[in-house]
Amino acid sequence: QRRVHGELSSSYSAMRTKQALRVSYAGLAGITTIAGLVEVPVWVQMLACTIFTIYIGCHRSLDQNEVDPVTGQAQQAESLSSKDAYMFPVIGSAVLFSLYILFKVFSKEYINFLLTAYFFVLGVLACTTTLSPLLRGFFTKAAQEKIHQIHFQVPFNLMKDPVDWKFTAVDVVAFIISTVIGVCYVTTKHWCVHNIFGFSFSIQGIEHLSLGSFKVGCILLGGLFFYDIFWVFGTDVMVTVAKSFDAPIKLLFPKAITDPMQFSMLGLGDIVIPGIFVALCLRYDAYRAEVSGSNRDDKDKKLGADFPKPYFNACFIGYILGLAATIIVMFIFQHAQPALLYLVPGCLGSVFLTAVLRGEVSQLMAFDESPSTDKDKTKTVPEDASKSN
C-alpha cells in the first residue's frame, strides 16, 4: 500500500510539473497579448515574462546530453570551462565597446539593416526549435516518428564534412510558422514579434548551455557582476548600445498604449546568464535524486519529472527577489540599473545559504557535469544523499 501510495504521489507531482510548464507557455503568450491590448504595469510584464521563460528553459534543460527519441541524435549541450568563464567578461566588453564605436561612426540604419538579416535567420531557427516540442501533440505518433533526411555536400569545400539534416513533419510545420513570424519581424518590427524571438533565444540558451559546475558558475557570475556595474554606472556604453541595437537581444515592455509607444527594456543576458545557473541547480537536484534512489525510473529525469528540488527552488526564488529589487530601484531612481548587481547575489546567495543549512557545501562544489568528467559524476555526490532529501 505504501509503494502504491508513493507511485500515485509521484505521478501526481509529475503531472503538476507538466501543468506548470503548460501554464508557463500560456503565460508568455497571454501576458504578451494582453500588454498589446490594455495597459499592464511594466513590473508585472517583466516579472511574468522572465519567470515563465526561465522556468521553461530550466525544465527543458533536463534533456541535455540525452538522445532525442525522435531523431535518435544526442542533444549535446555547450559546456563552459573555467577559462571560458574568466574570459567571458573580457570578450563581452570588447564586443560591447566595438558596437558602441560602430554606432558612433556609422549610421544606425545600415548597421541595423545587417543585424535584421542576421537575426532573422537565427530567430527562425531558435523559434523552430522552441515550437517543435509544443506542436507534437497535434500530430499522430507515426507523423512524429517518421524521419526525413537531407544529405548534401556544401560546394567549393566551404565545409569539410557533408551536411546531414534529420527532421520530422512537426519540424517542418514549426519552421513554416517560425518563418512567418520572422517575416513579420522584418516587415513590421512589432514589439510582440520582437519578444517572441527574444523568448526563443532565451529558452534555447538556458536549455542548451551548461556551466558544467558550480565553480564555473561562480566565476562567470562574479565576473559579469562587475562587468555589468562598470558598463552601466561607469559609462554610457551599455545604455547607448541597448537603445541603438534594433535586434531581439532584449525584451521590450510597453509603458503605455500610446503612439508612438515607449518601452522599458531587459537584456536577454539578464535572463540567460542567471537562467543557466538556475538550470544547473535543477539538474543538480535531478542528479541527487537519481543517486539517492528517489528517482529510479530513467524516464523520471526527463521533462516534467518530479523529484526534490531544494536548490532549484532556492535559486529561482533568489532570482525573482533580485529582479524585484532591480525593478524597485529602477523606478525609484528613474535610471537604468545593472540587473546583475541584484541578480547575482540573489542567485549565488540563495544557493550557498541552502547548501550551508543542509551541510552540503562540499558536495555542491564537487558536482561536475561537464563531458570530460561525465564518467566520474557518481563520485561527486555521496551515497547517503537520500538522507538529506
Side-chain angles (χ1 to χ4, degrees), residues 27-86:
L28 278 180
I31 192 67
T32 302
T33 303
I34 294 172
L37 300 175
V38 298
E39 188 171 324
V40 178
V42 169
W43 66 269
V44 173
Q45 299 178 59
M46 200 172 289
L47 281 173
C49 289
T50 51
I51 289 172
F52 291 144
T53 300
I54 289 180
Y55 188 87
I56 293 168
C58 287
H59 282 80
R60 287 178 59 140
S61 79
L62 288 173
D63 287 335
Q64 277 188 6
N65 300 319
E66 300 291 340
V67 176
D68 190 303
V70 177
T71 64
Q73 296 176 322
Q75 305 178 66
Q76 294 293 336
E78 293 291 335
S79 185
L80 298 178
S81 64
S82 297
K83 182 180 179 181
D84 296 330
Y86 280 121

Side-chain angles (χ1 to χ4, degrees), residues 45-202:
Q45 299 178 59
M46 200 172 289
L47 281 173
C49 289
T50 51
I51 289 172
F52 291 144
T53 300
I54 289 180
Y55 188 87
I56 293 168
C58 287
H59 282 80
R60 287 178 59 140
S61 79
L62 288 173
D63 287 335
Q64 277 188 6
N65 300 319
E66 300 291 340
V67 176
D68 190 303
V70 177
T71 64
Q73 296 176 322
Q75 305 178 66
Q76 294 293 336
E78 293 291 335
S79 185
L80 298 178
S81 64
S82 297
K83 182 180 179 181
D84 296 330
Y86 280 121
M87 291 302 298
F88 202 98
V90 177
I91 296 173
S93 296
V95 172
L96 181 66
F97 190 69
S98 298
L99 287 171
Y100 178 77
I101 296 299
L102 283 175
F103 282 117
K104 289 293 185 181
V105 174
F106 299 101
S107 171
K108 290 193 297 184
E109 287 72 19
Y110 294 119
I111 298 174
N112 284 320
F113 175 78
L114 296 175
L115 292 174
T116 297
Y118 178 69
F119 278 97
F120 168 78
V121 177
L122 291 184
V124 169
L125 295 177
C127 198
T128 299
T129 311
T130 303
L131 285 177
S132 289
L134 300 178
L135 297 176
R136 286 176 183 171
F138 298 97
F139 289 78
T140 63
K141 186 176 181 180
Q144 294 180 40
E145 296 178 350
K146 185 176 180 180
I147 305 298
H148 304 276
Q149 188 171 2
I150 296 179
H151 185 87
F152 63 93
Q153 180 71 49
V154 178
F156 308 113
N157 293 322
L158 295 178
M159 293 180 65
K160 183 178 179 181
D161 298 322
V163 176
D164 188 14
W165 285 342
K166 293 182 179 180
F167 56 90
T168 66
V170 181
D171 299 322
V172 173
V173 173
F175 178 75
I176 294 172
I177 296 174
S178 300
T179 302
V180 173
I181 293 173
V183 172
C184 291
Y185 165 72
V186 171
T187 56
T188 68
K189 291 297 182 73
H190 194 277
W191 69 270
C192 285
V193 185
H194 175 109
N195 281 2
I196 290 175
F197 273 1
F199 296 145
S200 299
F201 287 138
S202 298

Side-chain angles (χ1 to χ4, degrees), residues 296-313:
R296 296 188 182 280
D297 189 348
D298 187 65
K299 294 180 180 179
D300 285 346
K301 294 186 294 179
K302 305 296 191 297
L303 189 65
D306 175 69
F307 47 85
K309 303 172 184 176
Y311 289 96
F312 168 74
N313 291 334

